[in-house]
Amino acid sequence: MDEDVPLHLWSELRPVTSLFVQLQFSAEASLLDLRRGLSNANRIISAILSPHKGEINKSLLFDKGCTFLCVLGLSGAKLQHESIHALESALQIVSMCSASLRKLEAVSVGVTSGTVFCGLCGHPERAEHTVIGHKVNLAARLMVHYPRLVSCDEATYAASRLPGYFFKELPETKLKGVTNPGHIYQYVGITEKCIFDMGLTKERSDYGPLLGREVEIDLFERSLKAYEALGQPHILAYVGILGSGKSHLLTELAFLGQAARHRVVTVELTEANVRQPFSAIRMLVARALGLQAGETCEDRQRTLQAKLQGAIEESRYCLLNDILLVKFAIPDKIRKMHDTPRKRELHLTCTQVLQKTLGGEFGIFVIDNAHFIDPASWIIMWPVLQSVTLFMVMSLAPGHERTESFFKAAADSTMSQRISCLHLEELKPAAVVQKACRDLGVVSIPRDLARFLIQRSSGIPYYCEELLRCLRCNNMLLFRTGRQDKEAEDDWEGLVASAVEASHLVSATSSSSAGNNSGRVCTIRPDVSLETTVLPATLKEIALAELDRITLMKQTVLKFAAIIGPVFTTQLLAHILPTCIRQQMNYLLDVMVGDNIIKWLKNTGVPRDVQDAREGPATSQQAGSGAERPSMSEEPTEWRAGVLAFCAPLLREAAYELWPERQRANAQRKCAAFLEKHAHKCRSCHGGDFVAFHRFAVPSPQDGEDCQGSADEDDWHSWEALVLAGEQLKKDRTHTPEGSANALQQQQAFSEEELRASERFPPEGEGTTAQPSRTEEKEGGECSCKCEAIIESVLVPLARHYVAIGNAPRAFYYLLECAAAYLHVSNSYMALMKLNEAEALRNSMEKTATALDCFEEATFFSLKGEVCCNLGRVKLAKKMTRRALSLLKKRFPQTRAGAFVKSLWERFQGALCAPNRRTPSLPPEARRKKLAWKLQQTRCLSLLGHLYSLEGTSGGRRFSRLAALMKANTDRRMDSAREEDSHSANCLCIPPLLSVS
């Protein structure tokens, strides 16, 4: 263990693969035999697991044998294809233990995959690092209830992505302490069926050619024409990372080859084939010659003799017995050969068989996962591939010896005419959107979903498929046929639905289908936030494999950074890091920048006139990884003020999900405490809450604090860094990645400006209340508004942190601040989305009987009214504003008679309000709370007066004048309260109200 990392940070919720191994000895075995068996088995199992980075976590001795708990995927030891490693290790354990241990009767292995607790358990002085969880218990139950087998659960079966004939489904049985375990399988490994029937398992898409692979398909077609016309041999090698779509591409190319009336021979290799000598030759020859698994041995022998006649001598057919599972008679000449000459003859025979098989008469050869060709086959195949006339298509993964061999051959001038290596690039954003529409079977998807897929998938098709599958399995998507012809209901749910419908992105795959109103349309459930979705297990395993390649210290820093978000500031990171790691933060960040794990956005330096005289000049850092790295031995006296971002969103999400709930909540409380100091308007807007006097009306940890001027005097670094982080977060939320296809179309599709009130939501009345953005008004000025950046980097994360902590009232508080802030910058669409989140949170609070402050609820409906007004829903805006006034103890009449009586009463109240009349003295907290209520009342009245003025009728004018009269009386009372609390008026700014026409 790394001694620099505190022990409590070793605890993680990590997806691992567990193996429970049970060795049962005969009744004649003595205690000494059991102990020797335990020792020998420990040595054998450790040797088998070591290449796969697995380890024995526990070993137990009982009266009839011993049991071992083995784990693959612990911290720092995560590998891709972990399930395959575990299943192959289990088969090797059964084989080796059965052959090596005396008096052993049975070996049983249970294999499971899933998230478990990995960490220190027990007293601090005698703690052990172990794994605990449901999946560990399930592995033990499988081991007991399915003896003498290698059994696995459904998660392991699915994660291996192996063809179904590697497994055999086992009958259901009741497992002690386990409810609904799912399907259970026996892993049988490579069998006769695998040898002869292992073709491509991917199915071709019914929608035609693959999206975004036009260059690769064009290269195949040109090379095939040259092969047909001129007889030019060629090998096409497509190189791509896991999930880049290599198998789907080869399936498409095989279909095109068959459409061109060629015989296509396909072979799909797995990682298990690497450890099987001659497995690649066996499968290739068997598929090419048409050998079948169901045939008898004699039938296969006759097929070989007919196909290979004249290629090899009759006496050497016996050398193919073990490779092709035949039983030719072994002549005395071959039987008497020593190992070296026999091996030489075997290689010569295999070479002649391949030359005959691949000689051009059998059509096109397709090998998927060619990097899994075993060494024995490679020694024979590589010279043959360079000499015979053939057309072969392969898929390769980077980082393997076979791939490097093809790279070198393609770079060689003498071989470049025969071998072409092409890297599979990431899909462009337009192709990702089209793929999502095709996979879901819809004509359009919401913009938020499109943006989510583009950012999370990074253009990798498999990632996109897994993300969609996860969303569908968790019932986060809704589907409907055609557009709703009837007018949406004039309620809040209808407004949200119309906003989501307006944010649809139509796929460009088919203009006719896209314009068909009867096509299926996908939407996101209103109560679902894509930002908080759990990472699919398959993608989490891939991300953790990348994460575990770095040291534990850097992993720890990334885990704390993941708590903050995809973009984080060094000040906030230093605030939540443990002291022992904080001292090395600069060095660790620079190293990870150099490794392209994170990236600098910018460093914010303090101007000389703002710097403290005791401090030196601010450190400047060039963006990128070219900076000189400090030594870890140096003790940094201060931390650089800057903003960083994760290069891969999946890496951040995987690191975030490693946190146990309690530890994650503690870190998020620290983040919230840091961010709350900056949860106010910018200096150009004169500070203050976005909901006027919000902190004084609702009890909060900030009661009595003075937020104005904190960015200038207390923490200038933090404020500037948070502004930069917010600008980056807004850019990520509203723009597509660079380099997208159809750039103009995509930028328009994802531009949030299209969702502004004046463009997307025409008002019902004659006018509109959409107002220009404060950011636009002051853009280019000396003190331009930074509020929109603060929303993204402070208010939105605060709401997210409190939701994760489970503090619903504080989360609701900051969701209201977010909505008010978006209205402050004239972004009604995002205000609508935040109020929709607040609606879902409010409903959950009602179910748990959590009390909601009356002022909060009134503010909630008041903000709803403003959003409805900006989006043209005047009737709904009146309804919401009336309800807000009712909660604020200010009734507004609904009939003309009521308006007449209310007008007389308000005039009477106005006459009683003497200019210098003083109200009874109240404590400061009560006066500020009263002022907050008055401010909210006058804001609602101003909005209501404006709404009635839009009607243009005599009744509307009557109600508008009443609202103005009530507002004037409320303003006079508010002025009186403000005079008594001049301190509040100096430290907090009252936001401007809507003007009445």
Side-chain angles (χ1 to χ4, degrees):
M1 290 189 178
D2 195 328
E3 296 180 355
D4 294 332
V5 179
L7 291 179
H8 69 277
L9 296 180
W10 281 85
S11 299
E12 294 178 334
L13 295 176
R14 172 174 285 266
V16 301
T17 303
S18 307
L19 290 83
F20 251 110
V21 182
Q22 187 177 75
L23 307 178
Q24 290 184 332
F25 291 86
S26 64
E28 301 175 355
S30 62
L31 180 60
L32 181 60
D33 292 332
L34 293 178
R35 289 179 176 175
R36 287 177 178 173
L38 177 66
S39 176
N40 293 334
N42 196 0
R43 174 178 50 81
I44 293 172
I45 296 175
S46 296
I48 293 173
L49 295 177
S50 180
H52 307 286
K53 295 189 176 181
E55 62 179 52
I56 298 175
N57 187 260
K58 285 186 179 69
S59 57
L60 305 172
L61 183 66
F62 60 100
D63 58 344
K64 294 182 180 179
C66 50
T67 302
F68 298 89
L69 170 58
C70 311
V71 186
L72 281 77
L74 289 175
S75 181
K78 195 75 174 178
L79 293 176
Q80 293 184 8
H81 312 292
E82 184 179 272
S83 298
I84 300 179
H85 289 285
L87 294 170
E88 284 298 309
S89 299
L91 279 185
Q92 292 181 48
I93 289 172
V94 172
S95 176
M96 294 291 293
C97 290
S98 300
S100 303
L101 300 181
R102 298 177 56 190
K103 299 182 180 181
L104 181 65
E105 284 191 345
V107 183
S108 307
V109 184
V111 184
T112 58
S113 300
T115 301
V116 300
F117 173 82
C118 304
L120 297 174
C121 295
H123 192 275
E125 295 182 359
R126 301 189 62 182
E128 63 172 347
H129 191 266
T130 187
V131 292
I132 301 174
H134 167 71
K135 287 294 184 177
V136 181
N137 299 336
L138 179 58
R141 297 293 177 260
L142 295 180
M143 172 194 69
V144 172
H145 289 82
Y146 296 98
R148 303 175 188 271
L149 299 176
V150 175
S151 55
C152 68
D153 65 340
E154 196 168 8
T156 306
Y157 169 81
S160 67
R161 302 179 67 193
L162 291 172
Y165 41 72
F166 275 74
F167 300 86
K168 182 187 298 183
E169 189 169 354
L170 294 172
E172 294 183 4
T173 185
K174 187 176 181 180
L175 305 180
K176 181 181 178 181
V178 179
T179 58
N180 191 21
H183 296 287
I184 307 299
Y185 299 88
Q186 177 190 358
Y187 180 69
V188 296
I190 296 180
T191 60
E192 181 178 314
K193 183 174 179 62
C194 302
I195 296 172
F196 298 109
D197 295 342
M198 202 164 180
L200 295 179
T201 57
K202 301 295 182 185
E203 296 182 0
R204 182 179 182 267
S205 172
D206 296 332
Y207 299 102
L210 292 179
L211 294 170
R213 299 303 180 201
E214 292 79 9
V215 175
E216 292 80 0
I217 295 175
D218 181 65
L219 176 61
F220 169 81
E221 292 176 341
R222 286 189 286 105
S223 301
L224 182 59
K225 289 180 180 179
Y227 176 70
E228 293 173 339
L230 306 176
Q232 295 179 353
H234 210 88
I235 299 176
L236 293 178
Y238 295 102
V239 183
I241 63 174
L242 175 66
S244 58
K246 303 186 296 294
S247 298
H248 285 288
L249 175 61
L250 262 61
T251 302
E252 178 68 20
L253 299 183
F255 172 82
L256 295 177
Q258 291 174 347
R261 298 186 179 181
H262 288 278
R263 184 191 175 198
V264 179
V265 178
T266 62
V267 175
E268 182 177 6
L269 301 177
T270 67
E271 191 169 359
N273 294 114
V274 177
R275 293 178 288 276
Q276 299 286 332
F278 300 105
S279 62
I281 290 179
R282 175 193 300 130
M283 296 170 62
L284 184 60
V285 172
R287 296 278 297 170
L289 298 181
L291 302 181
Q292 302 295 326
E295 293 179 333
T296 63
C297 182
E298 290 76 13
D299 292 337
R300 287 198 294 270
Q301 290 179 184
R302 284 192 292 270
T303 302
L304 287 174
Q305 289 174 335
K307 298 286 186 178
L308 300 178
Q309 186 177 8
I312 59 175
E313 299 177 3
E314 290 285 340
S315 60
R316 289 195 290 177
Y317 277 111
C318 62
L319 296 172
L320 302 176
N321 287 351
D322 294 336
I323 297 178
L324 299 177
L325 303 183
V326 289
K327 296 179 181 179
F328 286 105
I330 303 176
D332 293 338
K333 177 183 177 182
I334 302 296
R335 186 182 294 109
K336 294 178 181 180
M337 280 185 181
H338 295 292
D339 290 341
T340 302
R342 184 167 183 148
K343 186 176 181 180
R344 191 182 305 116
E345 286 294 323
L346 175 61
H347 282 210
L348 177 60
T349 302
C350 291
T351 301
Q352 293 173 343
V353 170
L354 280 179
Q355 289 175 339
K356 175 67 175 179
T357 305
L358 306 178
E361 57 180 305
F362 294 102
I364 303 172
F365 296 88
V366 179
I367 302 180
D368 194 13
N369 297 325
H371 49 278
F372 288 143
I373 297 176
D374 60 281
S377 297
W378 181 254
I379 294 174
I380 299 171
M381 289 178 62
W382 183 235
V384 174
L385 294 178
Q386 300 179 71
S387 58
V388 302
T389 300
L390 83 164
F391 190 81
M392 181 171 285
V393 183
M394 296 182 174
S395 69
L396 300 163
H400 293 266
E401 294 182 8
R402 310 290 173 263
T403 309
E404 296 300 325
S405 300
F406 278 97
F407 282 153
K408 293 179 181 178
D412 188 356
S413 58
T414 60
M415 293 295 298
S416 58
Q417 298 298 322
R418 293 181 56 95
I419 300 177
S420 298
C421 283
L422 189 64
H423 283 274
L424 297 184
E425 301 293 338
E426 294 80 7
L427 294 180
K428 299 296 188 292
V432 172
V433 173
Q434 294 174 12
K435 176 176 175 57
C437 290
R438 285 188 175 185
D439 292 348
L440 295 174
V442 298
V443 296
S444 67
I445 60 176
R447 296 169 191 258
D448 291 340
L449 177 59
R451 188 179 298 114
F452 171 81
L453 293 174
I454 291 171
Q455 293 177 349
R456 297 299 194 281
S457 68
S458 301
I460 300 176
Y462 175 65
Y463 292 5
C464 181
E465 294 169 5
E466 287 297 301
L467 289 169
L468 286 175
R469 185 188 61 81
C470 180
L471 293 177
R472 298 193 70 172
C473 291
N474 293 319
N475 196 26
M476 295 182 177
L477 302 179
L478 299 176
F479 299 91
R480 60 179 177 81
T481 303
R483 296 186 179 274
Q484 298 177 350
D485 296 330
K486 63 179 182 178
E487 186 179 355
E489 296 182 5
D490 195 12
D491 56 9
W492 180 254
E493 290 74 15
L495 178 60
V496 174
S498 63
V500 172
E501 182 176 351
S503 68
H504 277 181
L505 174 68
V506 178
S507 173
T509 54
S510 174
S511 58
S512 59
S513 63
N516 187 1
N517 291 335
S518 63
R520 295 180 73 214
V521 175
C522 171
T523 59
I524 305 171
R525 275 179 45 187
D527 58 340
V528 169
S529 174
L530 294 178
E531 301 301 322
T532 58
T533 55
V534 178
L535 193 64
T538 51
L539 301 188
K540 188 174 182 179
E541 180 177 322
I542 295 172
L544 287 182
E546 296 291 330
L547 187 64
D548 282 352
R549 294 179 183 176
I550 64 177
T551 63
L552 185 60
M553 286 283 286
K554 289 186 281 188
Q555 283 188 46
T556 306
V557 174
L558 287 179
K559 286 171 63 178
F560 278 98
I563 292 285
I564 302 172
V567 179
F568 58 95
T569 67
T570 54
Q571 295 90 343
L572 181 49
L573 180 61
H575 179 74
I576 64 175
L577 278 176
T579 305
C580 57
I581 302 178
R582 190 186 309 156
Q583 296 173 352
Q584 303 174 14
M585 188 185 75
N586 285 345
Y587 168 79
L588 295 172
L589 292 178
D590 281 339
V591 172
M592 288 187 287
V593 168
D595 295 336
N596 292 324
I597 300 172
I598 56 178
K599 58 185 178 182
W600 284 104
L601 297 181
K602 185 181 177 183
N603 276 355
T604 55
V606 183
R608 292 186 180 275
D609 57 347
V610 180
Q611 288 180 359
D612 189 351
R614 297 170 298 174
E615 299 177 352
T619 306
S620 61
Q621 171 82 18
Q622 297 294 335
S625 59
E628 182 181 355
R629 296 180 178 178
S631 172
M632 285 190 66
S633 61
E634 297 178 2
E635 291 288 339
T637 56
E638 63 179 38
W639 299 281
R640 287 193 295 273
V643 182
L644 298 105
F646 282 84
C647 295
L650 291 183
L651 191 66
R652 185 201 74 83
E653 294 179 22
Y656 177 84
E657 293 179 14
L658 288 175
W659 282 96
E661 185 175 353
R662 182 180 299 178
Q663 295 182 18
R664 181 168 58 197
N666 292 335
Q668 287 176 319
R669 287 190 185 93
K670 291 183 179 180
C671 287
F674 180 92
L675 292 174
E676 281 185 327
K677 298 187 300 181
H678 306 282
H680 55 81
K681 297 177 184 176
C682 65
R683 182 169 62 176
S684 63
C685 296
H686 310 292
D689 296 328
F690 289 96
V691 175
F693 282 64
H694 198 177
R695 74 190 61 206
F696 299 112
V698 180
S700 72
Q702 284 188 328
D703 282 348
E705 290 186 7
D706 181 2
C707 69
Q708 186 178 5
S710 62
D712 299 327
E713 300 170 5
D714 299 334
D715 205 349
W716 190 92
H717 284 83
S718 299
W719 176 263
E720 289 296 312
L722 288 170
V723 168
L724 177 61
E727 292 172 352
Q728 180 64 33
L729 288 168
K730 180 180 182 296
K731 180 181 177 182
D732 292 341
R733 181 172 57 80
T734 56
H735 294 84
T736 56
E738 296 180 1
S740 61
N742 304 323
L744 180 59
Q745 175 186 352
Q746 291 300 314
Q747 288 176 6
Q748 291 177 350
F750 286 92
S751 175
E752 194 172 278
E753 296 302 323
E754 292 187 0
L755 298 171
R756 301 289 186 180
S758 61
E759 297 180 22
R760 276 292 183 182
F761 300 91
E764 295 176 356
E766 297 179 2
T768 178
T769 60
Q771 299 181 11
S773 170
R774 293 178 180 273
T775 307
E776 295 172 358
E777 289 177 0
K778 302 182 181 182
E779 191 66 35
E782 191 171 323
C783 295
S784 61
C785 179
K786 304 296 184 184
C787 290
E788 196 159 8
I790 293 302
I791 301 171
E792 304 291 344
S793 62
V794 177
L795 298 180
V796 173
L798 273 170
R800 185 183 70 245
H801 289 319
Y802 279 118
V803 168
I805 293 171
N807 191 340
R810 294 301 293 167
F812 192 82
Y813 176 99
Y814 282 108
L815 283 174
L816 294 184
E817 282 287 304
C818 288
Y822 278 121
L823 286 173
H824 177 70
V825 296
S826 300
N827 190 339
S828 297
Y829 175 76
M830 286 306 299
L832 175 70
M833 293 298 103
K834 291 304 172 184
L835 287 174
N836 190 44
E837 292 181 33
E839 175 85 22
L841 185 60
R842 178 173 173 267
N843 294 337
S844 66
M845 292 170 66
E846 289 180 353
K847 293 179 181 179
T848 59
T850 303
L852 186 63
D853 187 87
C854 187
F855 179 84
E856 292 267 82
E857 193 159 8
T859 302
F860 175 60
F861 286 103
S862 172
L863 293 172
K864 274 188 172 184
E866 291 189 47
V867 170
C868 294
C869 179
N870 289 345
L871 303 185
R873 299 295 182 91
V874 176
K875 294 180 181 178
L876 186 59
K878 292 177 184 177
K879 178 181 176 181
M880 295 296 174
T881 309
R882 286 176 182 275
R883 187 166 180 181
L885 279 172
S886 176
L887 291 168
L888 292 169
K889 307 296 187 290
K890 182 73 75 171
R891 300 286 181 178
F892 194 87
Q894 299 186 22
T895 63
R896 293 192 177 187
F900 176 74
V901 174
K902 187 67 174 177
S903 298
L904 294 177
W905 174 255
E906 288 297 327
R907 290 191 181 96
F908 176 71
Q909 289 292 320
L912 290 179
C913 292
N916 297 323
R917 183 180 178 183
R918 299 188 61 83
T919 58
S921 179
L922 295 173
E925 293 79 6
R927 289 200 303 269
R928 293 171 184 174
K929 185 173 182 178
K930 181 179 179 181
L931 183 59
W933 279 65
K934 295 298 182 185
L935 279 167
Q936 200 59 245
Q937 289 174 357
T938 190
R939 190 175 187 89
C940 290
L941 290 168
S942 177
L943 175 61
L944 206 55
H946 178 72
L947 290 170
Y948 277 107
S949 69
L950 294 175
E951 292 184 3
T953 62
S954 59
R957 288 191 292 271
R958 182 187 298 273
F959 282 108
S960 179
R961 287 194 296 269
L962 173 60
L965 182 59
M966 294 175 66
K967 176 181 176 296
N969 289 340
T970 305
D971 286 344
R972 280 192 286 270
R973 297 187 184 96
M974 186 175 62
D975 292 339
S976 176
R978 186 186 293 114
E979 290 176 2
E980 294 186 17
D981 196 5
S982 58
H983 174 72
S984 297
N986 291 331
C987 67
L988 293 176
C989 176
I990 300 173
L993 303 177
L994 291 171
S995 59
V996 180
S997 300

